[in-house]
Amino acid sequence: MSVDATVETYKGHRLAGWLDWLQMLTGLTLAVFIFAHMLFVGTVIFGANAFNWIASFFEKTYLAQIGGPILFFIFLLHGTLGARKMPFRTKEQKLIVRHAKMMHHRDTWFWVGQAVTGSILLVIAAIHMWTVLSDLPITAAKGAQEVQNTLWALFYVLLILCAGFHACIGLYRIGVKWGFITRATRAKALKCIYILMGIYAGGELILLLRFLSLKV
Amino acid sequence: MGRTLQFEIFRYNPMDPNSKPRMQTYYLEEKENMTLFLALNEIRETLDPSLQFDFVCRAAVCGSCAMVINGRPGLACKTKTKDLPDKITLHPLPVFKLIGDLSVDTGIWFRGVAKKIEAWVHTNKTFDPNALEERMDNELANQIFELDRCIECGCCIAACGTARMREDFLGAATINRIARFYIDPRDERSDQEYYEVIGTDEGVFGCMGLLGCEDVCPRNIPLLDQIGIIRRKMAIASTGGKVGRLFSVFAKKKK
Amino acid sequence: MQTFYTDLLCIGGGLAGERVAVEAAQAGFDCIILSLVPPRRSHSCAAQGGMQAALGNCAMGEGDNPDIHFEDTVKGSDWGCDQEVARLFADTAPIVMRELAFWGVPWNRVVPGPATYFKGGQKFEVYEKEEKAGLITARAFGGTAKWRTCYTSDGTGHCVLYTLDSKVLELGVKIHDRVEALSLIHDGENCFGVVARSLRTGELLVYFAKAVLIATGGYGRLYKHTTNAVINQGTGLILALDTGIVPLGNMEAVQFHPTGIVPTDILVTEGCRGDGGTLLDKNGYRFMPDYEPEKAELASRDVVSRRMTEHMRKGFGVKSPYGEHLWLDIRHLGEKHITTKLREVYDICQNFLGINPVHELIPVRPTQHYSMGGVRTNKDGAAYGLKGLFAAGEAACWDLHGFNRLGGNSLAETVVAGRIVGAKIVEFLKGYEVDIKTQYATAEVKKQEERINELKSKQGRENVYQLRNEMQEIMMEKVGIFRNEKDLQEAVNRLQELLDRSKNLGLVSDGIGANPELAEALRLPGMIKVALCIAYGALQRKESRGAHYREDYPYRNDKEWLNRTLAYWEEGADLPTLKYEPASKVFYLPPGDRGYGEGKVIPKDDNTEEKE
């Protein structure tokens, strides 16, 4: 054949596929986790005791001590994998922003948002995990004390908004990229994603208020 | 009718050392049933004969005239001025090499990627002129035709955030082209062989699902649906089929 | 000066050029394709309908064979074709379609069981046989006894072109797109290559080749209203004509398609009528059965186009700001049929007319569509007059079509001729050596450089676009569907004037780089010459045959005009020199009645009575 074909095989070749799997699976895990997290923290609605009970349950069963670091590792892995797709050089960043502006196209802006929230989360979610996991046991009182500091409260508002957006758009993106959300179902899926985003952000903000109002 | 259209057109002639990239303004009276094909030709014939742009079929089947029209890549020939505001801004497609003004080199780009993915039927058989053709289900023929409808205009590439950031990204049209051969039983390539040409970050795993491609495709091809299918197949291939079997059972159930 | 050497140089990267290139590359020869545009953008991609080949797989094509295809073709040509070529074509077509299927064309296939079709607006049912399941199926096209047109939905040209281009890619044929050949390099006996201009940079390039193929398609853009792409300006024909020794054959044979939409002149496929679409006048009346009781809308294109014009002349046309037109009605075919099998038509209506053909009528009128004439070749595709020069496809007058071609025969011709001519070129190239005389290239380059410099100097006063538009209008008005002595003479006179004025062309712009005005200015004098070949050939041909219809000579005159016009352009002349040769060396099918159309014939044999 007279065409310079690129059909050489080498072992590392399958890596791209594996990494794509990992990115999706870690993302999926984290998204599921933050919703579960919301439910656990949600026990605070029923008062400090309920919250403390579930927290101590996680600690007694060592879920927090072991699961926490594992989750932290998954989080870092997801961040690293995501970073492979992110624009790092200023030239690339400018390009993608210029592109999004040119296209005035919702899904392109979503992705820019995804990149921005992802970068922010990499820092602030890490801080959150560190402060919580390095100071066991988790109690409602500690949480309340923390958020009653204005700066921390703002920190959590930012965390909630970023996590909600990133996780929900991430789920949508997985659906689109892997072909589970097709042209036919896209509009409907997007509606569900908005609702999900609303539930998360709304729910978490209510919890934040609950912590604020918690008597320490 | 009776509108005066204001055209803001990107001008640059790389062959002219005195030429600098700039925007040039032209005014034109709008006519009934005017398309950008008619408008641009009128500008060339009456206002500025040096204006470069590409049209061939002027019937939206050849893919020559893709350009960025008020921010969105599209085919100029099938864009009616009555669907546009008074001010019309035209840029050449990004990503592709500029030939001059609104003209870009899509042909070389598409030939390059077609060579990379070896976009032809791979078979070990030889044609027998005396034999009947191999039979094919008409439904399958239609499915192949659906994917073969891409006219390689380049809109999906220009609308793709990944393609703009990464020069080596193959893009939606190319992945769609692979999908066309993938479902064609005459192409005897195995999943592993397909994986080797497209199972990379420049290929299907580079797609970040921004949907720009699908939203601008002038042929209305469900590009991301195709990318999704190929991504699943290639992801399955990457595991050597182990995880994949489970996955494909799930995928089939979904259908 | 960049110079390239190759075995075969194909000028034109459409179906014919690529099919020839595939043949040569498969035989191991080096091959370069020169194309004005990327090959996949060639006008071939716009062909919607299909390719005729007597496969006889579908129920309505049962019993079909190459003999019947041959007869249909000869009748369609009004006995103007070369019958040896028609025979060769009909015999080879089925093999070529199967070969294309082998290479990946997704032909539509036979679905066994009962099937519903439309013909002439009537619904009817047939039973597709189980034993034919999955074989290549066919649809009806005008002027054929059987359903014989193979198709891939509404994108036959597109699919076949993409398949061939993939083959070209696989075989490593070199593609030089955005290059325009300006003139042939030859010594009066042998052709050595071409001088070309890059449409990217404006530079001149030299290509040396043992064999040169002209496959540049038609010249529709000589007319104001044409279905052809904007690149179909007859550039390949100009190359041949400018040699002074290679003739163009039957240039007066120009086909008008009955259904170009108004006002954009985009073609809607004959498949519309083949599938049961009907033509209506301003009163919504279906008039074709009155003129052609048997074939109605499915008579050959020349007949339908003339009947439409005739009907409009009687005052039944629909008035519009863009002139009169008639209606094409496909509403009764139903939404599913229109949005799947005629989707291209549906899209065109939506995109360019803003109407929905499922509920609305489509405005149509006869529009210039196809050039039967072209570079005259023998049955091997070798051009008359120069060794090493070949032509194929619409650019050639191989002479399969005579004075009218059947729908689906031209698209088939590109690939069938491509295979046959390609094989003959391979035969020619084997062991062939030529002494390339470079002085002819140098002289030709100098000539082109001078032309370019003169145009750039802006000394000329004539505007390129104005002259071109005048030419297009003359051709449309005076050398159209109905022709007569007075109009044709006037056309010849005015075109001669234009030719003279074209010597005084000057650019408005600077002409730097890939300047479009310069490219047009370089082409225009040649285009006017080609237009003169058409007009003058039509003026001299005092009969009506196929698409060439003379109001003052309404009979087909086999006694005097059963021949082919050969137009030569001697250097410095202001008119072509016309010569004639017999239409066919052999007549397997003696001249007779076509079975449709006016059917008035002055027979070859003096003893036979004139028949009406």
Side-chain angles (χ1 to χ4, degrees):
Chain A
M1 207 177 297
S2 42
V3 171
D4 43 334
T6 50
V7 282
E8 53 179 307
T9 334
Y10 56 96
K11 280 235 160 130
H13 209 104
R14 285 186 182 169
L15 198 62
W18 277 111
L19 294 179
D20 209 51
W21 273 109
L22 273 179
Q23 192 187 346
M24 173 186 70
L25 292 175
T26 52
L28 205 57
T29 312
L30 290 169
V32 170
F33 170 75
I34 66 158
F35 276 96
H37 176 277
M38 180 172 78
L39 290 181
F40 299 141
V41 177
T43 51
V44 78
I45 297 281
F46 307 107
N49 285 340
F51 179 86
N52 290 345
W53 181 83
I54 202 125
S56 67
F57 168 78
F58 281 121
E59 278 146 38
K60 266 187 227 145
T61 51
Y62 289 94
L63 272 172
Q65 291 90 326
I66 298 167
I70 291 177
L71 200 76
F72 193 62
F73 173 73
I74 291 176
F75 165 76
L76 286 179
L77 186 62
H78 183 73
T80 318
L81 291 169
R84 292 168 67 246
K85 303 286 168 78
M86 293 233 304
F88 270 117
R89 287 181 295 170
T90 350
K91 188 185 148 204
E92 291 172 345
Q93 288 165 353
K94 271 189 192 156
L95 254 174
I96 191 74
V97 171
R98 190 164 6 121
H99 176 70
K101 276 187 188 159
M102 172 190 102
M103 291 273 293
H104 37 80
H105 176 243
R106 186 186 55 207
D107 281 280
T108 304
W109 278 118
F110 273 171
W111 186 82
V112 174
Q114 194 78 343
V116 171
T117 52
S119 311
I120 297 173
L121 282 172
L122 208 52
V123 179
I124 64 171
I127 294 173
H128 169 64
M129 279 195 253
W130 184 257
T131 52
V132 171
L133 290 175
S134 66
D135 188 22
L136 291 177
I138 304 164
T139 64
K142 276 191 206 167
Q145 201 175 15
E146 199 177 35
V147 298
Q148 280 160 20
N149 173 325
T150 320
L151 273 179
W152 275 110
L154 289 174
F155 172 89
Y156 278 107
V157 170
L158 183 68
L159 181 61
I160 288 164
L161 292 179
C162 286
F165 180 86
H166 193 91
C168 292
I169 296 301
L171 285 174
Y172 166 68
R173 199 62 79 199
I174 287 172
V176 168
K177 285 204 301 194
W178 292 76
F180 300 125
I181 298 173
T182 60
R183 172 180 283 187
T185 55
R186 203 163 121 199
K188 209 184 271 174
L190 208 54
K191 206 185 252 171
C192 295
I193 289 294
Y194 287 147
I195 293 171
L196 205 60
M197 215 187 282
I199 290 174
Y200 181 81
E204 285 281 20
L205 288 173
I206 289 168
L207 294 181
L208 190 63
L209 289 174
R210 182 77 183 93
F211 270 107
L212 279 169
S213 64
L214 212 61
K215 295 263 157 34
V216 198
Chain B
M1 285 310 110
R3 278 199 303 172
T4 299
L5 301 172
Q6 180 189 351
F7 285 88
E8 294 288 329
I9 298 179
F10 175 86
R11 299 300 311 271
Y12 177 51
N13 181 359
M15 297 307 293
D16 181 357
N18 298 318
S19 173
K20 296 239 155 39
R22 64 185 195 282
M23 297 303 286
Q24 193 166 340
T25 311
Y26 302 96
Y27 295 94
L28 212 60
E29 287 300 314
E30 189 177 28
K31 296 190 180 67
E32 209 179 322
N33 276 322
M34 193 178 233
T35 60
L36 287 184
F37 164 69
L38 296 169
L40 283 169
N41 272 294
E42 196 176 325
I43 291 176
R44 181 191 276 174
E45 289 180 23
T46 60
L47 300 172
D48 191 343
S50 67
L51 183 62
Q52 292 182 48
F53 49 76
D54 296 317
F55 285 100
V56 177
C57 74
R58 56 82 178 87
V61 289
C62 79
S64 301
C65 64
M67 56 183 73
V68 180
I69 305 156
N70 284 349
R72 282 280 178 113
L75 294 182
C77 71
K78 69 170 222 182
T79 304
K80 298 188 274 285
T81 54
K82 72 168 185 201
D83 299 334
L84 297 173
D86 294 351
K87 187 176 163 188
I88 299 167
T89 309
L90 301 177
H91 281 93
L93 285 190
V95 183
F96 302 98
K97 186 170 177 258
L98 182 78
I99 292 175
D101 303 339
L102 299 173
S103 171
V104 292
D105 214 331
T106 47
I108 287 201
W109 195 93
F110 276 103
R111 272 205 301 287
V113 290
K115 267 187 192 171
K116 258 191 212 162
I117 62 160
E118 301 187 7
W120 55 81
V121 167
H122 288 55
T123 180
N124 288 319
K125 296 179 191 140
T126 44
F127 175 67
D128 176 2
N130 300 314
L132 274 186
E133 63 271 25
E134 256 180 62
R135 288 168 200 262
M136 180 186 272
D137 194 52
N138 193 49
E139 204 43 53
L140 178 61
N142 280 331
Q143 281 172 21
I144 297 172
F145 176 74
E146 277 306 303
L147 302 180
D148 214 25
R149 284 173 62 242
C150 166
I151 53 173
E152 301 189 346
C153 60
C155 287
C156 62
I157 311 297
C160 172
T162 313
R164 287 202 71 175
M165 285 192 296
R166 308 199 193 291
E167 277 179 13
D168 51 5
F169 183 53
L170 293 172
T174 317
I175 297 166
N176 176 70
R177 184 69 54 201
I178 274 284
R180 177 247 174 273
F181 288 104
Y182 189 87
I183 64 162
D184 192 332
R186 290 168 292 198
D187 194 318
E188 292 166 349
R189 277 181 278 186
S190 65
D191 274 13
Q192 287 306 321
E193 283 169 286
Y194 279 114
Y195 187 86
E196 270 143 28
V197 291
I198 204 156
T200 59
D201 279 336
E202 294 81 54
V204 72
F205 297 125
C207 167
M208 306 188 296
L210 274 63
L211 284 158
C213 55
E214 179 154 335
D215 289 345
V216 300
C217 177
R219 302 286 278 180
N220 220 7
I221 299 171
L223 289 165
L224 239 124
D225 295 1
Q226 291 311 321
I227 294 176
I229 293 167
I230 293 293
R231 187 178 216 121
R232 293 203 297 259
K233 301 276 189 200
M234 290 302 108
I236 289 165
S238 76
T239 64
K242 287 178 209 91
V243 183
R245 242 159 269 149
L246 208 79
F247 198 79
S248 63
V249 170
F250 170 66
K252 258 180 209 150
K253 265 188 194 156
K254 257 198 74 119
K255 258 185 179 176
Chain C
M1 179 86 33
Q2 270 206 72
T3 306
F4 303 89
Y5 291 86
T6 186
D7 294 322
L8 170 65
L9 182 71
C10 295
I11 307 171
L15 284 176
E18 292 214 316
R19 184 61 189 83
V20 169
V22 165
E23 204 64 28
Q26 277 181 336
F29 288 103
D30 190 63
C31 182
I32 297 179
I33 291 177
L34 292 195
S35 179
L36 294 174
V37 295
R40 291 186 180 195
R41 315 239 186 270
S42 304
H43 189 46
S44 302
C45 79
Q48 301 161 8
M51 295 187 174
Q52 282 207 39
L55 292 161
N57 290 330
C58 69
M60 293 298 290
E62 229 178 86
D64 197 10
N65 61 50
D67 295 339
I68 306 176
H69 187 186
F70 165 77
E71 274 187 31
D72 282 344
T73 303
V74 175
K75 281 183 194 166
S77 81
D78 226 353
W79 278 268
C81 72
D82 183 324
Q83 296 203 3
E84 276 180 282
V85 167
R87 187 74 249 180
L88 199 60
F89 166 76
D91 288 343
T92 316
I95 298 170
V96 177
M97 299 311 131
R98 290 186 183 123
E99 188 176 45
L100 288 170
F102 181 78
W103 286 339
V105 172
W107 294 119
N108 278 88
R109 306 295 180 128
V110 174
V111 181
T116 317
Y117 297 112
F118 282 94
K119 197 176 181 184
Q122 298 297 310
K123 213 178 196 183
F124 69 97
E125 260 195 22
V126 289
Y127 195 84
E128 298 288 353
K129 282 187 180 155
E130 189 62 46
E131 72 217 49
K132 299 285 187 188
L135 295 176
I136 300 170
T137 191
R139 58 160 56 130
F141 254 31
T144 64
K146 302 276 179 187
W147 288 25
R148 182 187 299 130
T149 308
C150 312
Y151 64 98
T152 57
S153 197
D154 249 20
T156 312
H158 169 90
C159 285
V160 178
L161 183 63
Y162 272 56
T163 301
L164 273 186
D165 197 53
S166 75
K167 201 71 198 153
V168 156
L169 205 66
E170 180 189 354
L171 293 166
V173 173
K174 297 177 202 82
I175 288 168
H176 293 197
D177 61 10
R178 292 178 182 267
V179 175
E180 176 166 2
L182 292 182
S183 61
L184 291 173
I185 304 168
H186 68 97
D187 62 359
E189 277 171 39
N190 297 289
C191 183
F192 307 127
V194 301
V195 174
R197 179 172 173 263
S198 164
L199 299 179
R200 283 193 181 79
T201 62
E203 289 167 305
L204 289 184
L205 310 165
V206 172
Y207 289 86
F208 287 120
K210 290 181 184 173
V212 175
L213 173 87
I214 295 177
T216 53
Y219 49 73
R221 289 282 154 179
L222 300 184
Y223 282 84
K224 190 173 179 207
H225 299 299
T226 174
T227 63
N228 285 193
V230 297
I231 53 170
N232 294 120
Q233 298 185 303
T235 46
L237 275 59
I238 300 172
L239 298 178
L241 198 61
D242 277 346
T243 61
I245 43 178
V246 179
L248 304 183
N250 275 352
M251 291 301 285
E252 62 270 32
V254 182
Q255 184 176 74
F256 286 74
H257 196 286
T259 53
I261 61 168
V262 182
T264 38
D265 305 318
I266 295 167
L267 172 85
V268 294
T269 178
E270 185 158 329
C272 287
R273 282 171 296 129
D275 291 0
T278 55
L279 290 165
L280 309 179
D281 64 16
K282 69 172 182 183
N283 302 320
Y285 175 70
R286 185 172 165 226
F287 57 91
M288 277 307 292
D290 293 353
Y291 294 99
E292 299 293 331
E294 201 179 314
K295 295 234 169 188
E297 280 85 356
L298 285 176
S300 72
R301 287 176 180 177
D302 59 322
V303 173
V304 178
S305 293
R306 258 198 318 275
R307 297 302 196 190
M308 287 170 74
T309 311
E310 195 178 337
H311 200 63
M312 284 192 280
R313 280 185 174 186
K314 286 182 187 166
F316 292 106
V318 185
K319 303 263 188 304
S320 88
Y322 306 95
E324 288 190 21
H325 63 77
L326 293 159
W327 299 113
L328 174 64
D329 185 7
I330 56 170
R331 295 173 299 183
H332 50 282
L333 302 183
E335 183 159 2
K336 189 173 175 241
H337 187 95
I338 294 172
T339 53
T340 55
K341 291 201 170 161
L342 296 170
R343 179 163 57 191
E344 216 71 27
V345 174
Y346 178 80
D347 288 346
I348 287 169
C349 289
Q350 294 268 306
N351 292 334
F352 301 97
L353 293 170
I355 63 163
N356 183 353
V358 178
H359 306 296
E360 288 166 275
L361 298 171
I362 310 168
V364 293
R365 69 176 161 215
T367 305
Q368 193 285 342
H369 180 55
Y370 188 80
S371 334
M372 272 76 75
V375 179
R376 176 63 184 140
T377 70
N378 64 15
K379 65 179 178 196
D380 299 341
Y384 285 18
L386 266 187
K387 198 173 169 193
L389 182 65
F390 297 81
E394 191 176 349
C397 182
W398 189 32
D399 218 358
L400 169 64
H401 308 302
F403 276 79
N404 177 58
R405 80 160 168 93
L406 298 183
N409 256 0
S410 62
L411 203 59
E413 183 200 8
T414 59
V415 283
V416 176
R419 191 178 203 262
I420 294 169
V421 174
K424 289 292 172 186
I425 291 177
V426 167
E427 241 171 65
F428 170 83
L429 284 173
K430 277 183 182 155
Y432 175 72
E433 298 298 338
V434 60
D435 281 330
I436 290 173
K437 296 170 188 159
T438 52
Q439 68 269 31
Y440 290 98
T442 315
E444 213 37 68
V445 168
K446 200 166 160 247
K447 204 162 110 191
Q448 297 301 334
E449 271 173 351
E450 276 166 12
R451 286 182 70 199
I452 291 169
N453 290 336
E454 203 181 307
L455 286 165
K456 277 191 188 170
S457 75
K458 299 191 178 195
Q459 276 159 357
R461 285 284 163 265
E462 294 289 351
N463 182 291
V464 179
Y465 298 107
Q466 197 187 328
L467 244 60
R468 190 203 62 192
N469 292 347
E470 279 184 44
M471 173 193 71
Q472 289 174 335
E473 265 159 41
I474 296 169
M475 292 302 285
M476 201 70 213
E477 280 164 29
K478 311 284 178 194
V479 202
I481 295 179
F482 285 102
R483 300 167 172 181
N484 60 61
E485 179 101 19
K486 184 176 148 279
D487 283 352
L488 288 170
Q489 187 61 56
E490 200 184 320
V492 169
N493 296 347
R494 287 181 57 195
L495 286 169
Q496 281 181 302
E497 245 169 68
L498 285 185
L499 183 64
D500 201 44
R501 282 166 65 193
S502 75
K503 288 168 192 148
N504 195 26
L505 280 175
L507 299 190
V508 176
S509 62
D510 54 21
I512 295 172
N515 183 288
E517 190 190 14
L518 177 60
E520 193 81 2
L522 287 169
R523 274 170 222 144
L524 189 62
M527 286 167 70
I528 300 174
K529 284 184 195 168
V530 175
L532 265 164
C533 291
I534 302 168
Y536 193 55
L539 176 67
Q540 295 304 321
R541 183 170 283 276
K542 294 180 170 58
E543 66 154 353
S544 291
R545 184 180 295 273
H548 171 69
Y549 191 84
R550 287 283 299 256
E551 289 169 297
D552 38 1
Y553 300 95
Y555 295 78
R556 189 181 91 202
N557 185 345
D558 287 342
K559 200 165 13 174
E560 287 165 85
W561 289 100
L562 191 59
N563 59 17
R564 180 176 301 105
T565 312
L566 298 176
Y568 295 81
W569 200 285
E570 279 156 27
E571 202 171 335
D574 62 352
L575 260 189
T577 310
L578 300 186
K579 292 178 187 169
Y580 294 89
E581 67 172 11
S584 191
K585 281 184 192 147
V586 283
F587 282 91
Y588 302 116
L589 189 69
D593 183 14
R594 292 167 96 187
Y596 47 82
E598 294 84 337
K600 296 165 192 161
V601 180
I602 299 169
K604 199 174 171 58
D605 189 350
D606 284 330
N607 304 327
T608 324
E609 273 175 43
E610 202 173 277
K611 50 180 179 175
E612 284 278 333

